[in-house]
Amino acid sequence: LEISLNGDVYGSVQSGDPDAENFIPREFELSLISALDPFTRAKVFFAAEEEGGRIEVFPGAGEEEDHGGGVAVEEGYVEWVALPGGLGLKVGRFFQQFGQLNRWHSHALQFQSRSLPHLTFIGEESLAQDGLSAHWLLPTGGAGAFEATAEVTRSRNEILFGESDGLSYLGHLNAFWQLTASTDLDLGVSALFGDREGLSGRHRNRLFGVEMAFNWAPPERSLYRGVVVRGGVMLSDPGAVSGLPQPEPALGFWSLAEVKLSRSWVAGGRYEWVENPADRTESAWLASPALTYWQSEYVRLRAEYDVLRNPGNTTGQFTLRVTFAMGPHRHETY
């Protein structure tokens, strides 16, 4: 049994509200991981969260409410990893395979928040629901790695599905190519379908995503030099409610890059833009430079400055973030 504890704390100063709460122990995560037998393993992640410091993309536009934090099961599932034909199964509560970064826990993210499209269309946290996930590694014979994921879950994301607790369906296709000894390319496509239920009625809700990742790391210098570039597009396409006009889809995109300057120092930046699903005439963008210092593989310090422009307002926020890990917890390559 592997037992680990991760901590994520930061202090921040906002240009629009310098007296706001500026020190937040945002999350402490306890992970329990065990190989049950040669074919099966179980994972459970408990998170104690403190609300605050979140980015409000469109204030008052129906985003998630502040519930004051608390302790919850982020993920808890059992998975079969060595089934015939390249198949894998997962049952329980899990971060869904909508792209790659949705599978990452918040302390592993390259910036202090998820992207603007994710915050707007999904919420502050990962898309995590309860159900079944099936993964298939296609037998392609070495021309690249191709995988497909299908998931059926009980709806529990309020932004996507409102009060509905019906089934939602997710499909994800991913392709990976090793271009040279030092470069690789990753492309993925995701689609999520489910019913949204609210005061205005019940309708179909759809969310689509396309993303890419490019990595350069010279084999002989990979500890000291490297470049990672990621980007993606998300489209929220709700169906019509009976008796109401057909809503227009809302679009968003995100991009980020990191450059490894040395074994310990990493410089990065991101730029994101998203439309307001409630009013397509409104949009917001976010730009963030960041500098990260890896004291060791267990301690990371990051300075980041976020500039957010939403309708009628531009705000800046400086964040100094400390992330630490106790125990053998390792980030997986999703």
Side-chain angles (χ1 to χ4, degrees), residues 80-83 86-90 133-137:
W80 290 262
V81 295
L83 299 179
L87 292 175
L89 292 176
K90 184 185 301 181
S133 176
H135 173 266
W136 181 35
L137 181 63

Side-chain angles (χ1 to χ4, degrees), residues 200 203 238-248:
S200 59
H203 64 89
V241 180
S242 178
L244 297 177
Q246 171 71 38
E248 295 185 20

Side-chain angles (χ1 to χ4, degrees), residues 64-326:
E64 287 181 315
E65 297 180 357
D66 189 319
H67 298 292
V71 179
V73 178
E74 281 193 325
E75 294 191 275
Y77 59 86
V78 60
E79 60 181 342
W80 290 262
V81 295
L83 299 179
L87 292 175
L89 292 176
K90 184 185 301 181
V91 178
R93 175 175 298 176
F94 46 84
F95 287 1
Q96 294 193 254
Q97 194 71 62
F98 193 92
Q100 289 188 341
L101 297 188
N102 186 73
R103 290 286 299 125
W104 292 21
H105 289 228
S106 61
H107 59 81
L109 294 174
Q110 293 155 305
F111 293 87
Q112 69 101 349
S113 74
R114 300 187 184 274
S115 70
L116 290 194
H118 187 110
L119 294 175
T120 303
F121 303 144
I122 297 176
E124 188 176 10
E125 304 295 337
S126 284
L127 174 62
Q129 302 194 120
D130 309 329
L132 170 69
S133 176
H135 173 266
W136 181 35
L137 181 63
L138 282 68
T140 56
F146 300 88
E147 54 187 359
T149 302
E151 297 177 345
V152 180
T153 55
R154 182 69 65 185
S155 301
R156 61 188 300 267
N157 183 283
E158 294 182 7
I159 291 181
L160 283 166
F161 307 117
E163 300 176 0
S164 173
D165 61 355
L167 296 179
S168 61
Y169 308 90
L170 184 147
H172 175 76
L173 298 174
N174 200 80
F176 173 87
W177 295 275
Q178 186 74 45
L179 303 179
T180 69
S182 58
T183 59
D184 57 70
L185 177 65
D186 202 315
L187 299 176
V189 179
S190 305
L192 176 66
F193 304 87
D195 289 333
R196 177 178 174 82
E197 186 173 344
L199 296 177
S200 59
R202 190 180 186 94
H203 64 89
R204 197 72 167 163
N205 202 13
R206 299 167 291 239
L207 184 65
F208 303 97
V210 178
E211 68 175 35
M212 61 78 65
F214 174 83
N215 181 65
W216 172 76
E220 70 283 358
R221 299 280 293 169
S222 60
L223 290 177
Y224 306 94
R225 292 291 182 268
V227 175
V228 176
V229 178
R230 293 181 180 272
V233 177
M234 294 176 66
L235 178 70
S236 175
D237 186 20
V241 180
S242 178
L244 297 177
Q246 171 71 38
E248 295 185 20
L251 186 68
F253 73 83
W254 58 273
S255 61
L256 64 86
E258 282 195 322
V259 179
K260 186 177 289 187
L261 305 176
S262 67
R263 185 164 186 166
S264 300
W265 291 95
V266 179
R270 63 171 171 167
Y271 181 78
E272 303 159 358
W273 173 89
V274 68
E275 294 176 319
N276 187 349
D279 185 351
R280 285 284 309 284
T281 65
E282 295 183 350
S283 63
W285 59 260
L286 175 73
S288 305
L291 183 64
T292 301
Y293 174 67
W294 284 92
Q295 178 179 315
S296 68
E297 62 179 312
Y298 300 103
V299 181
R300 182 188 67 193
L301 294 85
R302 173 175 295 137
E304 178 179 336
Y305 189 75
D306 301 309
V307 179
L308 173 65
R309 172 67 178 179
N310 52 23
N313 192 34
T314 301
T315 58
Q317 177 176 280
F318 174 78
T319 301
L320 182 61
R321 182 181 181 191
V322 180
T323 308
F324 61 89
M326 302 166 57

